[in-house]
Amino acid sequence: MWKSSWRGAAALLILGLIPASLVVVTLDFGHRKAALRFSQGPEVPTLDPQKMQDVSGGRIAGALFEGLAVFDPVAASPKPGVAHRWDISDDGLVYTFHLRDDARWSDGSQLTAEDFRYSWRRALDARTGSLYNYLLFAIKGSREYVEATTGLAEMSPEQADAVVEAAAARLGIEAVSPTVLRVTLERPTRAFIDLVAFHTLLPVKRSSVETSRRVRAGDDPTDPAWTHPGRIVSNGPYVLDEWKLKYRMRLVRNEHYWNRKHVRVPTIDVYPAESPETVYLQYELGQLDLITDVPNLAAEQLLKERRAGRRLDFHGFPYCGTYFLRFNCTKPPLDDRRVRLALSLALDKQEIVDRAGRLGQPVARTFVPEGQIPWYKGPEGHGRDVERARRLLAEAGYPGGKGFPTLRYLYNTSEAHKRIAELVAEQWRRELGIVLTLQNIEWKVFLEKVGTLDYDIARAAWIADYLDPMTFLDMFVTGGGNNDTGWSNPEYDRLIGEAGDTVDMERQADIFRRAEAILIEEEMPVAPVYYYVSASLVRDRVKGYVPNPLNRIAFEDLWIDAAEGGP
């Protein structure tokens, strides 16, 4: 297997599918190898569930922590986690979660309803800085709690505590007993259990998270070191044993996990890498067992081989996500909707798919992926229309691109992102006469720059947090934690709020459709490019892996087949 993998890698080098500079990249296995060796791309920025904002962090969080409900990759829907069951009132406003008696933290202490109450309050607390706090806005008193925790900087600690506790008393999260959590919503929310299974609502242990030093009333009390090995306390199927930044993270089975007998892989090593090409080569050399980010050029060939009955370790499947471009709507000339629309209309998305995507990704006319959410069909969207794009640019004062400033296009390290950036720059220069400067930076810095609007145009992707249009559309409300465009539209905000208040699926779909039309037909703060097709490689010896539209991995369900070369 190793020899044939090396021949495959060598062939790809000859074809130019892997840069020659990556040949020397190997993993050091001087230490004892883990039962499962995994890579998913760049280093995760944080292991703090309430502060995460990326898919890769969410995967690791799902191994270290467990929520009241968890995502079932087989059914593509939530199933019981820490809560063995829940009751929903007839009016859909009150959820009562019943926790397992044997739920424990990794230090052996009991996990209680109060731990969830604390964690969800922490997610809402403005001092935490959670970009996903809006996922809890269906809970009664949640917005008021955010507001109450926003203006504490000028108060004494005693005053601040009084304000926060008063807001907490009005918050619809109640620890009825150590094993019963009652949650009261502002409005019926059909996808609430899906939200409960998301990483922002995972439990964290207060004594582990908060610093012992005194902080000012308006400061975040989180101890930055709480996620370090030896400090972190978690409740999922695995615990963090080692974390050497930009080298390796080791997870070991949590012996206090309530379902530990089901966890059959004792150790997992997670190897970060900025380049998907590097990760792919390491897999082909036999150094990795499971990777979730296969470079597009290699994936194209692997897909052909799988269809021919050979590379059955390759898994290509529809992924509920959209590749798109963000426009910084606070900066001229991108503050002009005519310019944004012109740029989008001039894109040749099919060329991007053919020359960079390589997996037949569907060209995107809408932001919510078509066909991924069966009960929703989005607006028509825009196709390519270069003549209209030129007219719009001229109306905005830039005929033939004259006088148009050079814009900076930001992307994180990846040959695919680089190729897409080059194609976008080439298309806009050819069709509109405008020039881009391309800037490549590492993932963590990329997130910081996009989050602070330190860019003109940036590549972006959004993967569904749960299978509902809301997860794609609510992030663009004014001031949304993941908006990252500076765009604001009162009518859009109103429609998203109305959709949240609506339980009837047909009516809700109509409201979503009207909102999405504002987003991608009228205002265009983002330009959808294509819908994702996921590409993963999983060795034959790794069993229990289930492809799913959210591309999540239930590590606790995996096992190693000794007959296929397992330990």
Side-chain angles (χ1 to χ4, degrees):
M1 178 64 185
W2 190 94
K3 290 181 179 179
S4 62
S5 293
W6 171 246
R7 284 198 297 270
L12 290 169
L13 281 164
I14 294 169
L15 292 172
L17 302 187
I18 299 178
S21 59
L22 298 182
V23 177
V24 297
V25 178
T26 58
L27 300 178
D28 176 13
F29 293 133
H31 63 288
R32 179 175 171 78
K33 288 191 293 187
L36 178 71
R37 298 160 299 172
F38 167 64
S39 185
Q40 59 178 342
E43 182 72 84
V44 295
T46 180
L47 291 180
D48 188 327
Q50 278 79 53
K51 297 190 177 189
M52 287 177 178
Q53 58 176 310
D54 61 330
V55 173
S56 57
R59 287 197 190 102
I60 303 303
L64 294 176
F65 300 91
E66 184 172 272
L68 294 169
V70 297
F71 179 76
D72 180 355
V74 176
S77 61
K79 66 178 181 179
V82 171
H84 64 89
R85 68 179 178 89
W86 48 81
D87 307 316
I88 307 173
S89 62
D90 291 340
D91 61 6
L93 292 177
V94 181
Y95 285 69
T96 304
F97 295 92
H98 302 269
L99 281 63
R100 302 177 188 277
D101 292 332
D102 55 351
R104 294 287 185 274
W105 290 107
S106 56
D107 62 2
S109 60
Q110 185 179 10
L111 176 66
T112 68
E114 180 58 37
D115 292 317
F116 281 94
R117 180 174 179 266
Y118 163 74
S119 303
W120 293 12
R121 281 179 56 180
R122 180 173 182 261
L124 287 167
D125 195 315
R127 294 170 294 184
T128 303
S130 174
L131 296 178
Y132 275 101
N133 65 358
Y134 60 87
L135 293 182
L136 291 89
F137 282 177
I139 298 175
K140 181 181 178 182
S142 56
R143 294 174 188 268
E144 292 79 5
Y145 191 83
V146 174
E147 292 174 6
T149 57
T150 300
L152 304 176
E154 304 304 319
M155 299 182 187
S156 68
E158 293 75 20
Q159 289 173 319
D161 287 344
V163 168
V164 172
E165 290 308 314
R170 298 187 293 272
L171 187 61
I173 307 172
E174 179 186 1
V176 178
S177 74
T179 58
V180 177
L181 182 77
R182 180 182 298 142
V183 182
T184 304
L185 307 185
E186 293 275 11
R187 57 183 186 269
T189 302
R190 183 172 37 76
F192 186 66
I193 297 299
D194 295 86
L195 299 177
V196 168
F198 192 62
H199 63 69
T200 306
L201 284 77
L202 291 171
V204 295
K205 190 172 185 180
R206 184 171 192 168
S207 60
S208 171
V209 170
E210 294 189 357
T211 179
S212 58
R213 62 181 177 83
R214 189 173 181 82
V215 298
R216 293 181 302 174
D219 290 348
D220 181 5
T222 300
D223 185 340
W226 86 267
T227 56
H228 293 183
R231 283 285 312 275
I232 187 171
V233 177
S234 59
N235 75 310
Y238 290 89
V239 295
L240 181 66
D241 181 63
E242 182 181 60
W243 189 6
K244 295 182 178 179
L245 286 176
K246 297 189 176 181
Y247 172 52
R248 184 184 72 243
M249 179 186 295
R250 171 157 289 193
L251 312 181
V252 301
R253 182 167 43 207
N254 178 6
E255 296 304 325
H256 293 286
Y257 178 53
W258 68 270
N259 199 20
R260 57 192 172 277
K261 292 181 180 179
H262 177 71
V263 182
R264 298 169 66 180
V265 177
T267 54
I268 301 172
D269 276 350
V270 183
Y271 290 94
E274 289 289 329
S275 166
E277 290 74 22
T278 299
V279 173
Y280 171 61
L281 183 56
Q282 290 166 342
Y283 178 90
E284 290 295 89
L285 292 174
Q287 298 174 354
L288 294 169
D289 303 307
L290 192 164
I291 65 175
T292 59
D293 190 11
V294 181
N296 291 348
L297 286 172
E300 180 184 31
Q301 180 62 31
L302 290 166
L303 180 59
K304 292 177 182 177
E305 292 193 30
R306 181 179 177 93
R307 287 172 175 168
R310 291 190 291 271
R311 291 299 299 265
L312 301 183
D313 59 335
F314 176 76
H315 301 266
F317 50 92
Y319 191 8
C320 193
T322 302
Y323 193 105
F324 65 101
L325 308 182
R326 291 186 195 271
F327 300 123
N328 186 341
C329 300
T330 68
K331 288 186 176 183
L334 297 171
D335 58 346
D336 188 328
R337 59 175 294 275
R338 295 171 298 183
V339 171
R340 302 193 299 266
L341 184 53
L343 294 176
S344 180
L345 290 172
L347 288 173
D348 188 339
K349 301 173 186 179
Q350 191 61 57
E351 181 186 35
I352 291 172
V353 168
D354 292 343
R355 296 178 61 185
R358 300 283 184 158
L359 282 175
Q361 292 92 337
V363 164
R365 294 174 66 108
T366 58
F367 192 70
V368 179
E370 293 181 12
Q372 287 288 330
I373 301 168
W375 57 272
Y376 177 70
K377 179 174 174 54
E380 186 65 25
H382 292 297
R384 186 169 185 249
D385 191 338
V386 175
E387 290 305 315
R388 186 184 176 200
R390 290 169 179 164
R391 290 197 303 271
L392 285 166
L393 202 62
E395 289 174 15
Y398 307 101
K402 293 179 181 178
F404 198 90
T406 299
L407 298 180
R408 180 170 52 116
Y409 181 110
L410 203 64
Y411 67 97
N412 57 294
T413 304
S414 161
E415 286 296 317
H417 298 330
K418 178 184 178 183
R419 185 61 181 137
I420 290 172
E422 292 170 343
L423 287 169
V424 169
E426 177 185 328
Q427 291 172 6
W428 286 347
R429 179 195 57 76
R430 180 179 67 236
E431 307 296 358
L432 301 178
I434 69 174
V435 177
L436 293 182
T437 296
L438 307 183
Q439 184 179 2
N440 165 34
I441 53 179
E442 68 172 17
W443 179 237
K444 186 174 183 179
V445 179
F446 175 84
L447 291 176
E448 291 170 355
K449 285 187 174 291
V450 171
T452 56
L453 298 181
D454 184 12
Y455 73 95
D456 296 324
I457 300 168
R459 64 81 32 183
W462 191 257
I463 310 302
D465 301 325
Y466 51 100
L467 294 175
D468 193 281
M470 185 67 88
T471 186
F472 287 91
L473 300 177
D474 65 352
M475 68 173 173
F476 292 112
V477 298
T478 300
N482 289 300
N483 184 313
D484 292 341
T485 64
W487 177 70
S488 174
N489 183 284
E491 176 62 8
Y492 184 86
D493 295 348
R494 187 192 69 77
L495 287 169
I496 295 301
E498 184 180 347
D501 290 335
T502 303
V503 177
D504 180 80
M505 292 175 67
E506 186 174 344
R507 181 165 174 263
Q508 191 182 53
D510 181 63
I511 298 168
F512 280 139
R513 196 157 34 245
R514 285 150 53 198
E516 191 175 8
I518 293 174
L519 184 73
I520 50 90
E521 290 183 344
E522 300 173 18
E523 290 287 321
M524 202 66 73
V526 295
V529 178
Y530 62 73
Y531 306 128
Y532 269 95
V533 172
S534 182
S536 299
L537 282 165
V538 186
R539 296 211 180 280
D540 294 341
R541 71 189 191 94
V542 179
K543 307 299 183 181
Y545 173 79
V546 179
N548 60 86
L550 301 186
N551 204 9
R552 295 188 189 171
I553 300 173
F555 290 100
E556 66 274 20
D557 292 340
L558 301 182
W559 55 284
I560 307 299
D561 187 349
E564 298 278 1

